[in-house]
Amino acid sequence: MAHIKLGVDEREFPGISGLMRFRPETAGPLGALAEVLLRGPHPLSAGERELIAAYVSGLNECTFCCASHSAFAAAQLDEGMTLVDQVRADLDSAPVSDKLRALLRIAGVVRGDARQVSQDLVEAARKEGASDLEIHDTVLIAAAFCMFNRYVDGLGTLAPEGKEGYAASARRIVESGYLS
C-alpha cells in the first residue's frame, strides 16, 4: 500500500492511477505530457514510444510502470509482448530496426546519467535515420519516465501481480489515451 492515504482503493487504482486521483491538479499536466509524448502525431509509432517508456522503466526497476508500458507497447506492436520481452532482455540481439536500437541506447544512457549522452550516440542514431525530433523525444520520454518511475515508487504505490490488469489498462489507453 502507498506510503500516504490516497483516498481510493489501490486494487482498483494501482500505481500512478491512484496518485492521479489523489492530486488531480498535477494529473492534468502529467497526463497531457504522456499523451503528447506517447500518442501524439509522430514519426515513431505509438508502440515504439511505449517501448522506450517500458525499456527505461525496466532499467529503473519500476515494476508498475514497466509492466503497464510493456503491455501498452505490446498492444500496439505487431510482434506484441514477444518483442517487448526481447528488447528488455537483450537490446543488442532484439529484432528491432537499427534506428530504434540507437534511440533505445540513448534512452538507456539518459536513464543512468543523461550527461553521458554523447555526440557519438546522437550521430549513431542520425546515421540510422533518426531525426532531431525523434532524438529529442526519445530523451524527453526517457527523462519523463525517470520522473514517473520515481513518483510511483517513491510513494510506494501498489503494483499488481500478473498481466491481466495491465492488459485491461492497455486496451483503455489504446482506445482512449492518457487524458480519459
Side-chain angles (χ1 to χ4, degrees):
M1 289 298 159
H3 297 314
I4 62 173
K5 292 180 177 140
L6 299 178
V8 298
D9 180 348
E10 283 190 77
R11 291 174 306 248
E12 186 178 349
F13 300 105
I16 202 166
S17 59
L19 298 175
M20 297 290 207
R21 284 181 171 25
F22 177 77
R23 188 105 159 92
E25 306 89 333
T26 59
L30 293 174
L33 178 61
E35 185 72 19
V36 168
L37 288 176
L38 301 175
R39 295 181 42 84
H42 204 277
L44 293 175
S45 74
E48 291 170 324
R49 288 176 281 157
E50 290 285 2
L51 183 59
I52 294 167
Y55 182 70
V56 168
S57 297
L59 292 174
N60 282 329
E61 299 179 21
C62 180
T63 302
F64 177 81
C65 293
C66 183
S68 58
H69 291 279
S70 290
F72 302 168
Q76 298 177 86
L77 294 168
D78 292 339
E79 305 86 352
M81 192 59 78
T82 300
L83 179 61
V84 174
D85 289 342
Q86 289 172 313
V87 166
R88 293 197 49 247
D90 183 7
L91 177 58
D92 291 333
S93 68
V96 295
S97 70
D98 290 335
K99 177 175 89 171
L100 185 55
R101 188 180 335 279
L103 292 171
L104 286 162
R105 284 191 180 114
I106 290 172
V109 172
V110 168
R111 173 260 166 203
D113 180 352
R115 296 169 297 181
Q116 299 302 312
V117 175
S118 66
Q119 193 62 39
D120 288 343
L121 279 172
V122 171
E123 288 305 321
R126 282 191 180 123
K127 180 180 172 227
E128 298 302 340
S131 68
D132 285 350
L133 175 65
E134 291 166 325
I135 294 165
H136 173 277
D137 286 3
T138 294
V139 169
L140 187 51
I141 291 166
F145 273 84
C146 287
M147 177 193 64
F148 287 131
N149 299 160
R150 284 155 181 79
Y151 182 36
V152 166
D153 286 344
L155 285 168
T157 61
L158 177 70
E161 293 184 24
K163 296 184 179 188
E164 302 77 34
Y166 298 108
S169 293
R171 286 189 294 278
R172 181 182 48 77
I173 291 296
V174 170
E175 290 172 12
S176 303
Y178 288 96
L179 299 177
S180 61

